[in-house]
Amino acid sequence: MLEIKNIHKNFGSLEVLKGASIRVEAHQVVVILGPSGSGKTTLLRCINFLEHADKGELTVGDTKIDFETVKRREIREVRKKVGFVFQNYNLFANKTAIQNVMHGLIVVKKLPKAEARKKAEEALAWVKLSDKLDYYPSQLSGGQQQRVGIARAIAMEPDIILFDEPTSALDPELIGETLELMKNVAKRGITMLVVTHELSFAQDIADKVIFMDGGVVVEEGTPDELFNHTKEERTKRFLARILSTKTIKTKV
Amino acid sequence: MFSWSYVIDYFPKIIIKFPMTLKLVLIPFAISFMFGFAIALLRLKKIKAIDWLLKLYVSYVRCTPVITQMFIVYFGMPILMQNFGIDAYDWEPAIFVYIAYSINISAFLSETIRSSILAVPIGQMEAGYSVGMSGFQTMRDIVVPQALKISLPMLGNMFISLFRATALAYMVNVIDMIGKARALAASGGHLLEGYVCCAAVFAIISLGLEVIFHLINKKLSFGHSYGKQRKVRA
């Protein structure tokens, strides 16, 4: 479904990705964990070319791309197949909730307006925002904005949705509802690649957990393998640190 | 001696020239809006040679008085046009004012629009890409509307100051309201009364424009309630 091989990315002299490789199968939920600066967000952003990787290979569905020789047409092709949910929501500030969801359907998918509206209404109903269709992002809470962001991604029916720390900017009380919604996204069978610090989400929902540090994949496996039978010292230290700073309900 | 009867006598004769003043504002502003936009987008592309040329142009406009720019166009352009075999000496004086003001306002507008586009958070562009929109589509539908909203107060100010700056056009023999006031004074000897009439018209129109821009600004608020007490979220 989605595969990255040997990806490299530098910001000036700073080497952020040093040959990480990951694989996501269809309908899988894969969670990437790792300390800040480990390159996990950069990895995610490289997949839909919000950052341009220097080297490596990307496969999304039947599109195969070499990062070094990628063409503009290929980038758009990938972006149509990949949805993205941002840490700070990034809703279109000049569009209402429903317009945020509709716009891509009209402009990119070329749906007639009425059909796009119907789809957008469905998507927003699914994230329980039917009463906020005509609200602008500035009139919505962070949690509501993120739900619109998720509806916008889902409505486009991408092959995979990437989540970049979707709950990091939210108040603690709103994190729960967003995670709950993400669980429902997973239940719909949508392929997900999630960067998060929410171990409980990884534990409950993920099919595979990847631990990244220093621009490479240190360890990967099922949640049980990674949390209960941790092999690598670096992973152990990271998990211990997260658990000591955050009180997490799940037992690890 | 100042006499109100002259004010009353002159007012209709002067206001009749208001359409000329209006043309001196609207034509250069419309032209400048297009050029300013194009220049802003070109500069955002950051192509070195073009960027350098445009910077030079903007600096020239910013660092010289508008009246010199007007005179240079008025006296210089016919000479320049001669080289192309075009006789510009017969052109209506207003045309030179349109050109001079367009050159001037384009530069200022390009800076305003450029900084407004840069003020739109980069995440808006990324959001457009993430739903599969092209750079052009995202610019057109998402970034530019927000940039225009940001630049609106400045655009309004510029429009109003251009409106007032048209008062210089009489110096190249355009008969606008000021030109008319001076013509009336030349025959009747009462200059001040004519200027009072002009001042009244300028003041009323400027205030009206301010109200209009304020209303547009409110209309484009995208849900923000500027100026009102913001609701504090608990």
Side-chain angles (χ1 to χ4, degrees):
Chain A
M1 166 73 249
L2 178 118
E3 189 172 17
I4 297 171
K5 273 191 202 152
N6 194 26
I7 186 170
H8 287 263
K9 169 72 186 169
N10 299 321
F11 289 112
S13 60
L14 183 70
E15 209 180 352
V16 182
L17 294 173
K18 303 174 189 170
S21 298
I22 64 168
R23 214 185 139 81
V24 183
E25 304 297 340
H27 310 300
Q28 258 191 346
V29 177
V30 174
V31 169
I32 304 179
L33 297 175
S36 50
S38 59
K40 53 197 192 310
T41 287
T42 305
L43 179 85
L44 219 56
R45 288 168 60 84
C46 282
I47 295 173
N48 70 346
F49 296 91
L50 297 180
E51 306 287 352
H52 292 261
D54 301 318
K55 225 171 86 181
E57 260 178 45
L58 170 70
T59 312
V60 183
D62 47 11
T63 313
K64 205 170 174 177
I65 286 167
D66 187 330
F67 281 121
E68 273 179 286
T69 59
V70 64
K71 293 178 192 68
R72 200 184 272 218
R73 182 184 50 77
E74 293 175 318
I75 292 178
R76 283 203 74 187
E77 209 173 304
V78 168
R79 282 177 178 156
K80 283 180 192 171
K81 291 182 179 185
V82 176
F84 203 99
V85 175
F86 295 87
Q87 180 175 359
N88 52 356
Y89 336 123
N90 282 348
L91 296 184
F92 302 132
N94 58 329
K95 305 252 172 224
T96 59
I98 185 130
Q99 288 170 341
N100 260 277
V101 183
M102 278 167 74
H103 199 72
L105 296 172
I106 295 170
V107 175
V108 180
K109 293 216 152 185
K110 314 275 182 218
L111 293 188
K113 210 173 167 194
E115 199 181 324
R117 188 171 174 93
K118 202 168 146 259
K119 274 202 154 183
E121 276 172 2
E122 279 168 19
L124 284 168
W126 192 74
V127 299
K128 302 196 177 66
L129 283 175
S130 292
D131 55 334
K132 305 279 187 211
L133 298 186
D134 297 320
Y135 282 57
Y136 282 98
S138 62
Q139 296 166 319
L140 298 171
S141 73
Q144 291 167 338
Q145 288 188 57
Q146 194 56 296
R147 275 146 63 193
V148 176
I150 291 170
R152 179 172 70 180
I154 285 176
M156 296 299 289
E157 295 171 352
D159 294 351
I160 180 168
I161 301 181
L162 313 177
F163 292 78
D164 180 17
E165 304 198 27
T167 57
S168 298
L170 293 175
D171 291 341
E173 66 215 278
L174 298 174
I175 291 177
E177 66 172 52
T178 307
L179 289 177
E180 202 54 44
L181 177 59
M182 286 168 62
K183 285 179 190 176
N184 289 332
V185 176
K187 277 185 200 149
R188 278 176 72 154
I190 294 170
T191 314
M192 297 163 71
L193 179 58
V194 185
V195 168
T196 183
H197 291 295
E198 299 295 329
L199 294 191
S200 64
F201 178 82
Q203 177 104 12
D204 298 350
I205 303 299
D207 299 295
K208 179 156 95 176
V209 182
I210 294 172
F211 174 68
M212 275 183 75
D213 194 12
V216 293
V217 172
V218 175
E219 186 172 355
E220 61 175 86
T222 63
D224 182 53
E225 284 168 353
L226 206 98
F227 294 137
N228 303 332
H229 309 281
T230 318
K231 290 192 212 86
E232 297 289 330
E233 197 51 41
R234 272 200 278 180
T235 320
K236 278 181 195 162
R237 259 187 281 139
F238 172 75
L239 292 174
R241 208 168 52 233
I242 279 214
L243 289 176
S244 64
T245 50
K246 272 190 193 175
T247 352
I248 286 182
K249 280 165 273 163
T250 47
K251 284 176 229 121
V252 173
Chain B
M1 265 286 114
F2 182 83
S3 143
W4 285 104
S5 65
Y6 273 102
V7 174
I8 292 159
D9 178 36
Y10 283 176
F11 195 79
K13 293 174 184 157
I14 286 175
I15 194 97
I16 226 166
K17 290 292 168 194
F18 180 68
M20 186 70 233
T21 299
L22 204 61
K23 274 204 279 183
L24 290 175
V25 187
L26 290 179
I27 293 172
F29 204 80
I31 294 171
S32 303
F33 196 78
M34 289 184 296
F35 275 96
F37 215 94
I39 294 168
L41 291 179
L42 268 175
R43 288 204 57 193
L44 287 170
K45 291 248 177 217
K46 293 195 172 122
I47 303 161
K48 258 202 184 138
I50 295 174
D51 197 50
W52 188 84
L53 273 174
L54 291 173
K55 240 191 225 165
L56 194 72
Y57 154 66
V58 172
S59 299
Y60 160 72
V61 169
R62 282 217 278 210
C63 301
T64 52
V66 64
I67 189 151
T68 39
Q69 293 167 19
M70 195 169 74
F71 281 140
I72 286 174
V73 172
Y74 183 69
F75 293 112
M77 239 186 83
I79 300 171
L80 189 74
M81 295 305 266
Q82 241 172 3
N83 295 328
F84 299 101
I86 299 166
D87 181 16
Y89 286 100
D90 290 345
W91 287 6
E92 234 182 280
I95 293 175
F96 298 104
V97 180
Y98 298 152
I99 295 169
Y101 281 2
S102 297
I103 292 172
N104 180 276
I105 306 290
S106 296
F108 285 104
L109 277 185
S110 76
E111 284 298 279
T112 303
I113 293 169
R114 193 176 70 102
S115 64
S116 303
I117 288 174
L118 289 173
V120 176
I122 185 79
Q124 295 290 309
M125 202 74 202
E126 292 184 348
Y129 287 147
S130 80
V131 294
M133 288 160 73
S134 67
F136 171 76
Q137 288 169 335
T138 312
M139 268 302 216
R140 182 194 60 194
D141 301 345
I142 309 299
V143 177
V144 167
Q146 292 181 48
L148 285 182
K149 156 76 196 145
I150 293 169
S151 64
L152 202 71
M154 287 181 284
L155 293 182
N157 280 341
M158 257 183 236
F159 191 85
I160 292 167
S161 62
L162 171 63
F163 173 65
R164 284 184 272 113
T166 58
L168 292 174
Y170 81 89
M171 299 186 86
V172 293
N173 305 321
V174 174
I175 307 295
D176 63 342
M177 293 193 296
I178 307 275
K180 185 69 189 175
R182 293 177 67 86
L184 289 168
S187 55
H190 285 260
L191 189 56
L192 181 58
E193 287 83 348
Y195 282 153
V196 167
C197 292
C198 293
V201 177
F202 274 108
I204 291 164
I205 302 291
S206 291
L207 284 172
L209 286 172
E210 263 177 43
V211 172
I212 290 168
F213 277 110
H214 177 72
L215 290 176
I216 300 175
N217 209 14
K218 250 168 87 179
K219 181 102 180 69
L220 275 177
S221 64
F222 305 141
H224 285 288
S225 48
Y226 295 108
K228 274 190 248 160
Q229 187 75 45
R230 285 267 198 102
K231 257 189 225 160
V232 181
R233 233 176 244 132

